[in-house]
Amino acid sequence: MRIVADLKKCEGLGMCESMANDYFEVDEDEELVSVLDANPPESDRAHVYAAVQACPVLALALEG
Ligand code: SF4
């Protein structure tokens, strides 16, 4: 599985980070997300998926 972030859509709102700060970090100056680990283990699927779903501007996707 792979986390894909569309930085053209991201508005730095931070929902993803608040749901899963082990995978997402928001730069408050740039208002952009960084994906800390784009290839989560299968055991973290539900945790990562919840954070992906929390993005209000649909900037995140989970592939695979
Ligand atoms: S929740 Fe969406 S808009 Fe907010 S920082 Fe994460 S990816 Fe960006």
Side-chain angles (χ1 to χ4, degrees), residues 9-17 26 33 54-57 59-60:
K9 287 186 185 168
C10 176
E11 294 182 4
L13 302 170
M15 276 53 164
C16 54
E17 184 182 45
V26 178
V33 70
C55 178
V57 295
L60 299 175

mmCIF file of all heavy atoms in Angstrom, residues 9-17 26 33 54-57 59-60, ligand 1:
data_model
loop_
_atom_site.group_PDB
_atom_site.id
_atom_site.type_symbol
_atom_site.label_atom_id
_atom_site.label_comp_id
_atom_site.label_asym_id
_atom_site.label_seq_id
_atom_site.Cartn_x
_atom_site.Cartn_y
_atom_site.Cartn_z
ATOM 1 N N LYS A 9 -3.539 20.160 -3.941
ATOM 2 C CA LYS A 9 -4.824 20.280 -3.249
ATOM 3 C C LYS A 9 -4.662 20.598 -1.764
ATOM 4 O O LYS A 9 -5.531 21.221 -1.159
ATOM 5 C CB LYS A 9 -5.606 18.972 -3.364
ATOM 6 C CG LYS A 9 -6.183 18.711 -4.735
ATOM 7 C CD LYS A 9 -7.058 17.463 -4.667
ATOM 8 C CE LYS A 9 -7.596 17.052 -6.024
ATOM 9 N NZ LYS A 9 -8.194 15.713 -5.960
ATOM 10 N N CYS A 10 -3.574 20.129 -1.173
ATOM 11 C CA CYS A 10 -3.386 20.270 0.284
ATOM 12 C C CYS A 10 -3.425 21.733 0.702
ATOM 13 O O CYS A 10 -2.785 22.583 0.093
ATOM 14 C CB CYS A 10 -2.046 19.654 0.697
ATOM 15 S SG CYS A 10 -1.687 19.875 2.453
ATOM 16 N N GLU A 11 -4.181 22.005 1.771
ATOM 17 C CA GLU A 11 -4.267 23.368 2.304
ATOM 18 C C GLU A 11 -3.662 23.453 3.694
ATOM 19 O O GLU A 11 -3.867 24.434 4.403
ATOM 20 C CB GLU A 11 -5.729 23.822 2.311
ATOM 21 C CG GLU A 11 -6.276 23.946 0.892
ATOM 22 C CD GLU A 11 -7.715 24.432 0.849
ATOM 23 O OE1 GLU A 11 -8.273 24.749 1.915
ATOM 24 O OE2 GLU A 11 -8.268 24.480 -0.263
ATOM 25 N N GLY A 12 -2.954 22.410 4.102
ATOM 26 C CA GLY A 12 -2.252 22.446 5.382
ATOM 27 C C GLY A 12 -3.173 22.465 6.583
ATOM 28 O O GLY A 12 -2.828 23.008 7.632
ATOM 29 N N LEU A 13 -4.343 21.898 6.451
ATOM 30 C CA LEU A 13 -5.339 21.990 7.517
ATOM 31 C C LEU A 13 -5.023 21.084 8.706
ATOM 32 O O LEU A 13 -5.518 21.299 9.802
ATOM 33 C CB LEU A 13 -6.729 21.662 6.948
ATOM 34 C CG LEU A 13 -7.140 22.573 5.787
ATOM 35 C CD1 LEU A 13 -8.398 22.073 5.109
ATOM 36 C CD2 LEU A 13 -7.343 23.996 6.270
ATOM 37 N N GLY A 14 -4.232 20.040 8.483
ATOM 38 C CA GLY A 14 -3.688 19.270 9.594
ATOM 39 C C GLY A 14 -4.534 18.128 10.127
ATOM 40 O O GLY A 14 -4.161 17.505 11.115
ATOM 41 N N MET A 15 -5.671 17.858 9.501
ATOM 42 C CA MET A 15 -6.500 16.744 9.985
ATOM 43 C C MET A 15 -5.716 15.432 9.907
ATOM 44 O O MET A 15 -5.800 14.605 10.812
ATOM 45 C CB MET A 15 -7.762 16.595 9.149
ATOM 46 C CG MET A 15 -8.908 17.472 9.539
ATOM 47 S SD MET A 15 -8.506 19.188 9.635
ATOM 48 C CE MET A 15 -10.129 19.894 9.642
ATOM 49 N N CYS A 16 -5.005 15.250 8.832
ATOM 50 C CA CYS A 16 -4.260 13.997 8.666
ATOM 51 C C CYS A 16 -3.234 13.826 9.781
ATOM 52 O O CYS A 16 -3.093 12.739 10.347
ATOM 53 C CB CYS A 16 -3.585 13.952 7.301
ATOM 54 S SG CYS A 16 -2.531 15.374 6.952
ATOM 55 N N GLU A 17 -2.536 14.908 10.093
ATOM 56 C CA GLU A 17 -1.527 14.829 11.151
ATOM 57 C C GLU A 17 -2.174 14.531 12.501
ATOM 58 O O GLU A 17 -1.651 13.741 13.284
ATOM 59 C CB GLU A 17 -0.737 16.140 11.222
ATOM 60 C CG GLU A 17 0.394 16.094 12.229
ATOM 61 C CD GLU A 17 1.120 17.423 12.318
ATOM 62 O OE1 GLU A 17 0.462 18.474 12.382
ATOM 63 O OE2 GLU A 17 2.359 17.396 12.332
ATOM 64 N N VAL A 26 2.601 18.399 9.086
ATOM 65 C CA VAL A 26 2.223 19.594 8.336
ATOM 66 C C VAL A 26 3.192 20.719 8.659
ATOM 67 O O VAL A 26 3.441 21.024 9.825
ATOM 68 C CB VAL A 26 0.776 20.020 8.679
ATOM 69 C CG1 VAL A 26 0.413 21.300 7.939
ATOM 70 C CG2 VAL A 26 -0.197 18.905 8.314
ATOM 71 N N VAL A 33 1.517 19.327 3.613
ATOM 72 C CA VAL A 33 1.770 18.086 4.333
ATOM 73 C C VAL A 33 3.039 17.408 3.798
ATOM 74 O O VAL A 33 3.365 17.512 2.612
ATOM 75 C CB VAL A 33 0.545 17.151 4.190
ATOM 76 C CG1 VAL A 33 0.406 16.617 2.776
ATOM 77 C CG2 VAL A 33 0.605 16.014 5.191
ATOM 78 N N ALA A 54 -9.899 11.600 6.480
ATOM 79 C CA ALA A 54 -10.164 12.815 7.260
ATOM 80 C C ALA A 54 -9.811 14.086 6.492
ATOM 81 O O ALA A 54 -10.222 15.175 6.894
ATOM 82 C CB ALA A 54 -9.367 12.769 8.572
ATOM 83 N N CYS A 55 -9.078 13.964 5.406
ATOM 84 C CA CYS A 55 -8.664 15.168 4.670
ATOM 85 C C CYS A 55 -9.886 15.830 4.042
ATOM 86 O O CYS A 55 -10.552 15.226 3.192
ATOM 87 C CB CYS A 55 -7.649 14.825 3.594
ATOM 88 S SG CYS A 55 -7.188 16.295 2.636
ATOM 89 N N PRO A 56 -10.188 17.076 4.420
ATOM 90 C CA PRO A 56 -11.414 17.714 3.922
ATOM 91 C C PRO A 56 -11.339 18.128 2.459
ATOM 92 O O PRO A 56 -12.370 18.404 1.846
ATOM 93 C CB PRO A 56 -11.573 18.928 4.842
ATOM 94 C CG PRO A 56 -10.237 19.167 5.416
ATOM 95 C CD PRO A 56 -9.484 17.888 5.413
ATOM 96 N N VAL A 57 -10.133 18.192 1.895
ATOM 97 C CA VAL A 57 -10.039 18.622 0.488
ATOM 98 C C VAL A 57 -9.622 17.466 -0.429
ATOM 99 O O VAL A 57 -9.232 17.680 -1.578
ATOM 100 C CB VAL A 57 -9.070 19.828 0.335
ATOM 101 C CG1 VAL A 57 -9.622 21.043 1.062
ATOM 102 C CG2 VAL A 57 -7.663 19.478 0.814
ATOM 103 N N ALA A 59 -7.075 15.515 -0.568
ATOM 104 C CA ALA A 59 -5.705 15.583 -1.096
ATOM 105 C C ALA A 59 -4.947 14.270 -0.910
ATOM 106 O O ALA A 59 -3.843 14.130 -1.440
ATOM 107 C CB ALA A 59 -4.941 16.727 -0.410
ATOM 108 N N LEU A 60 -5.533 13.359 -0.143
ATOM 109 C CA LEU A 60 -4.810 12.114 0.168
ATOM 110 C C LEU A 60 -5.509 10.917 -0.459
ATOM 111 O O LEU A 60 -6.742 10.868 -0.554
ATOM 112 C CB LEU A 60 -4.743 11.919 1.690
ATOM 113 C CG LEU A 60 -4.005 13.021 2.463
ATOM 114 C CD1 LEU A 60 -4.125 12.762 3.956
ATOM 115 C CD2 LEU A 60 -2.539 13.086 2.049
HETATM 116 S S1 SF4 B 1 -5.716 16.913 5.971
HETATM 117 FE FE1 SF4 B 1 -5.488 17.236 3.762
HETATM 118 S S2 SF4 B 1 -5.367 19.462 3.532
HETATM 119 FE FE2 SF4 B 1 -4.953 18.955 5.668
HETATM 120 S S3 SF4 B 1 -2.727 18.803 5.792
HETATM 121 FE FE3 SF4 B 1 -3.534 16.756 5.479
HETATM 122 S S4 SF4 B 1 -3.442 16.492 3.263
HETATM 123 FE FE4 SF4 B 1 -3.275 18.658 3.638
#
